[in-house]
Every structure is written in structure tokens, then in C-alpha cells.
Amino acid sequence: DVKVTQSSRYLVKRTGEKVFLECVQDMDHENMFWYRQDPGLGLRLIYFSYDVKMKEKGDIPEGYSVSREKKERFSLILESASTNQTSMYLCATAAGTGVAGELFFGEGSRLTVL
Amino acid sequence: AQSVTQLGSHVSVSEGALVLLRCNYSSSVPPYLFWYVQYPNQGLQLLLKYTTGATLVKGINGFEAEFKKSETSFHLTKPSAHMSDAAEYFCAVSRANFGNEKLTFGTGTRLTIIP
């Protein structure tokens, strides 16, 4: 089974802090994604990566950056956290490119910014 | 551009009754369509998907969905609801041949099962 592990299930940070959300997968998938989930808004894509050191902006990249130094690890970085970034963050992976395959999700990281 | 509309943010059905969750899509090119389910405190998992071929697709846990191009719909159904079906369901669309990186999700429908 594919396993997507998000390092923290719950985080509480203060405004202005730098926040790192880590995601690790064990299935050698090329594609990795970071989504944000908010009530009434569904899932919105922040960034995705289709290879090591490669990244593409999603629909809402403002205020976020990402890092993919190794194939299995994809990090989401909030350089200066703000209260409007309080949300559930979901990491996902998928095999291949240009193929409508299945997304495999982690359990999510719920971030509260005070 | 592509989009998904899920009608009804909350749906309640009695145990044993028919489950119908509605999804309409907009896409300028042939779409790939998906339903994902999210159980409490978990990530999403794939229920079923339509890419090409047969328009009635079957998924896990007894769910199925029918792609109707003329109605731009991909509604999710299950003949008999079970308590374990209580979850949030997301419809998603991607452009054919663009794969996962162009997946657009709907806003979700929370399904409640009444004993």
C-alpha cells in the first residue's frame, strides 16, 4: 500500500513564524502535491512537483513556497505565517505524468495561526 | 478552464435508502472525472473514476457513477446507504491527457446517515 506521511497532524503557530510542513511518500511516485482544504471551498492546489527540484504553482501559491530535494519528500513552507493561512493542509502523490491515475493522500496537517 | 459544481453541501439519508450525490462539470475538452471520499480525520481516497469507455463506472463500497455528456453530469449513487458511508465526498475533474496536475475539486458534500 502507498503510504503518504505528513509529519504533524496538528500545529499551532504565531503570526510571522516560519512554518514547515513535511510530506514523505514510500511508493517512488513522481508527482507530489500540496492542497489546502477549507470548509465550503473544497480542495485548492497550492503547488505541485513532478520531479526532484521541479515545482509548479497551483491555484493559490501566494504566501507559500515548496522544496523537493529528494523524490520521496515534498515540503511546504510558510515564510511568515498569517491568520488567513489557518487551514487543513493535505499532501498527495501520484505516479507518472499525463495519466489520470489515482491521487494518494496523507491524513492532513491542521494548522492554526494565532 | 474547468470547474465542478456539487449540488448540496449537506445530504442526509436514512440507513438503507438510496444515496444520490450530484456533480456537474464544465470542461472545454473531454474530461476525466473522479469521486473521492474523506472519512473523519483522514485524507481523501479514490472511490471511482471515469476516463474513457463505459459511462457507468463502479467503485469501492458499492458506489457507482454515470458519466452523462449531454447533461455534463457525473452523479454518485449507492442503492442502500450504510452507517459507514457517513463522510465527505468530493467530485473532481481533470483535462484528458493532462493527468493529476490539473485536477479541480468541487466544494464537497457531507453525507449524514440517519439510523
Side-chain angles (χ1 to χ4, degrees), chain B residues 5-46:
Chain B
T5 301
Q6 292 185 239
L7 298 175
S9 58
H10 291 86
V11 171
S12 296
V13 301
S14 298
E15 190 175 15
L18 171 72
V19 175
L20 171 61
L21 304 183
R22 299 178 187 274
C23 173
N24 288 89
Y25 70 90
S26 172
S27 178
S28 57
V29 297
Y32 289 170
L33 294 158
F34 306 79
W35 276 100
Y36 281 82
V37 60
Q38 185 179 33
Y39 298 104
N41 297 316
Q42 294 186 25
L44 281 70
Q45 64 182 87
L46 182 68

Side-chain angles (χ1 to χ4, degrees), chain B:
Chain B
Q2 56 194 27
S3 65
V4 170
T5 301
Q6 292 185 239
L7 298 175
S9 58
H10 291 86
V11 171
S12 296
V13 301
S14 298
E15 190 175 15
L18 171 72
V19 175
L20 171 61
L21 304 183
R22 299 178 187 274
C23 173
N24 288 89
Y25 70 90
S26 172
S27 178
S28 57
V29 297
Y32 289 170
L33 294 158
F34 306 79
W35 276 100
Y36 281 82
V37 60
Q38 185 179 33
Y39 298 104
N41 297 316
Q42 294 186 25
L44 281 70
Q45 64 182 87
L46 182 68
L47 265 183
L48 49 80
K49 67 180 180 183
Y50 167 79
T51 54
T52 58
T55 56
L56 180 64
V57 293
K58 296 184 184 300
I60 61 172
N61 301 336
F63 284 92
E64 62 182 36
E66 186 171 10
F67 170 59
K68 292 187 176 181
K69 184 178 179 181
S70 61
E71 299 177 8
T72 61
S73 69
F74 191 57
H75 301 330
L76 181 70
T77 60
K78 181 175 180 177
S80 177
H82 191 273
M83 294 301 294
S84 60
D85 296 327
E88 190 157 20
Y89 293 79
F90 293 91
C91 184
V93 62
S94 75
R95 291 183 289 177
N97 297 321
F98 276 82
N100 300 291
E101 62 268 27
K102 301 300 182 185
L103 206 62
T104 299
F105 284 87
T107 54
T109 297
R110 184 168 299 279
L111 177 64
T112 300
I113 310 298
I114 304 166

